[in-house]
Amino acid sequence: MRDDYLRFLPEDLRPSPGLRPRSTWWRWRDLDLHVERVERPGAALRLLVLHGAGGHAGALWPLAGMAAELGLEVVVPDLPGYGRTRVPRPGRVRYPDWVGCVTDLVAAEKAADPRPLVLFGASMGGMLAYDVAARTGLAAAVVATCLLDPRRDAVRAAVGRHRSLVPATLPLMRLLAPVIDDLRVPIRLVARMNAIANDPALVRLVARDRLGGGSRVPLGFVRSYLESAPAIEPEEFTSCPVLLAHPGADRWTPIGLSRAFFDRIAAPKRLVVLDNAGHYPVEEPGVRRLADAFDLLRADIDHHDGESHVGRTERA
């Protein structure tokens, strides 16, 4: 399945055939988190990659492998409910479990390895990366393709499957939570998975991927995500620089939704628009701009002995 996704990446950006991630496992609470790694002991920078709804480590291998080919050490977990992570009660997974799991994983990774760790979040993983950086203070930088604040009605309308039903959906889910929270439904029924990519073949691949976009999600996870709020308001966020690398042709979450949050961030920040790229950014020239951003980040941290200067120049 990993190679099925890889074929959508421009050929010259694909990792070499011999570069393959190693599967590891990390025990968190009552689950076994599957974590894929490309280990580079000599690398100045480590990148922890966070997927969003309908994703998993294998699905994000094109972007993670692209970063690894540039010389970064890469860590990619399958967040609870997706990929190969073993969850004893899948219906009980909630969005705060993602936040707690990644928060503890970052702490464990930094305790085991002091090298700078950048959090790269794709889709809803972008706000997850921001939140974990705020909670831990351990990230050298945050790179996100989206920064979606689900407290905003416009964000809820964009991510939901049926926009016209969004205003009534959350109050009803709260009311029925004791009955429906553990009910797992196909992701496509609650999220606009048909907009996850601009290439119809990639959309079909995601839709049939039982580890990701073709799986089921607990309604309690959806409710808890829509009710979530960042640990720190953006005006108070100074933990690390933030790079928003937003797809320029995103049909699911337009850039304005992310700008509403990004523009308020107090930390050094920079915006890079991935021209012509969809929500899953694999198109030229956008994906090449993302590769360039990874490469510059690696070189910058290496040059400045572990201090990220990703936000030194803001492009608004």
Side-chain angles (χ1 to χ4, degrees), residues 82-97:
Y82 293 95
R84 294 166 59 191
T85 287
R86 297 190 286 259
V87 181
R89 294 175 296 179
R92 299 289 181 90
V93 176
R94 305 291 181 261
Y95 182 69
D97 295 326

Side-chain angles (χ1 to χ4, degrees), residues 149-157 256-258 260-261 264:
D149 186 348
R151 296 174 297 181
R152 297 184 61 226
D153 289 341
V155 170
R156 291 174 177 171
L257 297 179
S258 294
F261 191 88
R264 296 164 53 202

Side-chain angles (χ1 to χ4, degrees), residues 18-216:
L19 182 64
R20 309 294 287 184
R22 180 173 70 92
S23 287
T24 64
W25 298 90
W26 182 66
R27 185 71 178 177
W28 185 73
R29 296 182 183 174
D30 62 345
L31 61 81
D32 293 308
L33 193 78
H34 177 244
V35 184
E36 294 195 346
R37 302 175 183 271
V38 176
E39 292 156 331
R40 294 191 181 278
L45 177 65
R46 306 175 73 220
L47 189 73
L48 193 148
V49 181
L50 300 172
H51 63 77
H56 58 90
L60 281 189
W61 175 241
L63 304 183
M66 184 173 69
E69 187 68 31
L70 292 169
L72 284 69
E73 180 161 317
V74 175
V75 180
V76 196
D78 283 335
L79 297 177
Y82 293 95
R84 294 166 59 191
T85 287
R86 297 190 286 259
V87 181
R89 294 175 296 179
R92 299 289 181 90
V93 176
R94 305 291 181 261
Y95 182 69
D97 295 326
W98 278 26
V99 177
C101 179
V102 178
T103 296
D104 290 348
L105 177 62
V106 166
E109 290 293 321
K110 285 295 291 183
D113 191 324
R115 285 178 293 170
L117 182 66
V118 170
L119 307 185
F120 169 49
S123 189
M124 65 183 287
M127 187 60 83
L128 178 61
Y130 167 93
D131 206 29
V132 171
R135 290 170 183 270
T136 65
L138 296 175
V142 166
V143 180
T145 65
C146 301
L147 286 170
L148 305 174
D149 186 348
R151 296 174 297 181
R152 297 184 61 226
D153 289 341
V155 170
R156 291 174 177 171
V159 300
R161 181 69 179 86
H162 303 286
R163 297 188 183 202
S164 61
L165 300 180
V166 167
T169 298
L170 187 55
L172 185 61
M173 293 180 75
R174 288 175 180 144
L175 179 65
L176 299 177
V179 177
I180 69 172
D181 260 7
D182 293 354
L183 179 64
R184 298 169 66 219
V185 301
I187 301 171
R188 69 178 185 276
L189 297 184
V190 294
R192 293 179 58 222
M193 298 304 294
N194 60 331
I196 199 168
N198 291 354
D199 186 329
L202 181 51
V203 172
R204 290 193 295 270
L205 173 60
V206 172
R208 68 171 185 264
D209 184 354
R210 295 186 177 275
L211 299 180
S215 64
R216 293 172 175 263

